[in-house]
Amino acid sequence: MTEILALCRAGFEPECVQELEQVMAEAECAGYGKTERDSGMVRFMLQGDLPGNLPGAESLIFARSLWPITLNLEHLDAKDRARPMLDWCEREQLQFADVRVECADSPAGEALRALCRGFESALLGLLKKAGRINRRERQALLVCLLSGQHALLGKVSAAQLAAAPRGGIVRLRFPGEAPSRSTLKLEEAFMVLLSETERERWLKPGMTAVDLGACPGGWTYQFVRRSIRVQAIDNGPMAESLMATGLVEHIRADGFQFRPKKAVDWLVCDMVEQPIRVASLMAAWLRDGHCQRAIFNLKLPMKKRYLEVQRCLQALQDEAGGKLLIRAKQLYHDREEITVLAARTS
Ligand SMILES: C[S@@+](CC[C@H](N)C(=O)[O-])C[C@H]1O[C@@H](n2cnc3c(N)ncnc32)[C@H](O)[C@@H]1O
């Protein structure tokens, strides 16, 4: 058996398991997921070796990070947790470029956070002393603490680990001048769903956007701060500070009826609505050429959430009347929802 560890939002373990089972079946690997409710993690057991085409967490919706696990250490001695890890390195003559110790984003994980920090620097020091750290190595050591006595260890790509945010969580600072905290959702979507090159090409001053369900303006703010003009559609009030920039036109209209006079670069939508209605609306805008690309939330139902996500993404693709680039992710700043990027490819 080979083990893969996925971290996800606490409460979304069943969706994470369903997605992993689907992806692994597509890679022709048999396996099953083990998890506990609200643990924020899934341990996926594969029959046989890791597939060469194992997807990265960036292509999964519910898994924030995905690492192969080599060693499962239980009954660790609180006074010397590092000992069996050092013994393993010695036995297998392992060297690592770096080491990271993390835990799940869950109530149990929260209680381990300080231990993770302290243990990471202690373990790094001990590994250095034992001659097990070599910055030129291509593999790094990932340790995930499940409790003070239980750790999962993985030999992972040093480059991938360096590029991956801790716990798969992109932490952002709230910009004080933004009118609502949900501004962080769109900022994270830009960080996670777009590459650096796409951000440079697709978020340029002078571009145009429509924000459906815009009030009080957290999402609009993300465009305004990039000097992008916004038509903000909502019957509610927009923040005065945004209106004062002269870059925002506030239109009191129904987001499902509104269409722009001229095509825009971006459509974003944060209306609290049935996800299938939102997916169809986005598909219609893309199909009719009203926008080049869209970022939107799909608020998930209480039950059959994974099925609903698949239904919505399928409807988006089918109804857009042409091939779309689609990326979807449950972001750190998302709660009972996921965020989707859909872009016309021509
Ligand atoms: C979650 S809030 C949006 C928050 C906003 N993205 C921000 O960052 O400040 C949802 C908004 O959608 C608006 N809304 C809901 N249904 C709408 C509709 N059919 N047409 C226009 N606005 C709608 C609500 O008035 C509400 O202001």
Side-chain angles (χ1 to χ4, degrees), residues 41 81 101-104 106-119 144-150:
M41 68 166 61
R81 292 185 179 90
V101 179
E102 49 184 49
C103 54
S106 65
E110 206 43 57
L112 290 168
R113 214 158 291 286
L115 175 62
C116 281
R117 274 196 298 273
F119 185 56
C144 183
L145 290 184
L146 276 57
S147 72
Q149 292 75 44
H150 191 180

Side-chain angles (χ1 to χ4, degrees), residues 119-137:
F119 185 56
E120 180 175 294
S121 58
L123 183 59
L124 179 64
L126 290 165
L127 287 167
K128 270 186 187 159
K129 214 167 145 198
R132 298 285 154 211
I133 294 294
N134 175 354
R135 298 292 179 192
R136 285 191 302 275
E137 269 297 330

Side-chain angles (χ1 to χ4, degrees), residues 180 182-183 213-219 233-234 253-256 270-272:
S180 69
S182 59
T183 197
C215 292
W219 285 31
I233 316 305
D234 202 310
D254 179 357
F256 283 91
D270 190 22
M271 293 189 290
V272 182

Side-chain angles (χ1 to χ4, degrees), residues 70 90 96:
T70 318
E90 191 66 34
F96 297 106

Side-chain angles (χ1 to χ4, degrees), residues 258-275:
F258 175 82
R259 297 292 185 276
K261 293 200 176 76
K262 242 179 99 185
V264 292
D265 296 293
W266 280 99
L267 168 65
V268 293
C269 173
D270 190 22
M271 293 189 290
V272 182
E273 253 298 338
Q274 284 175 41

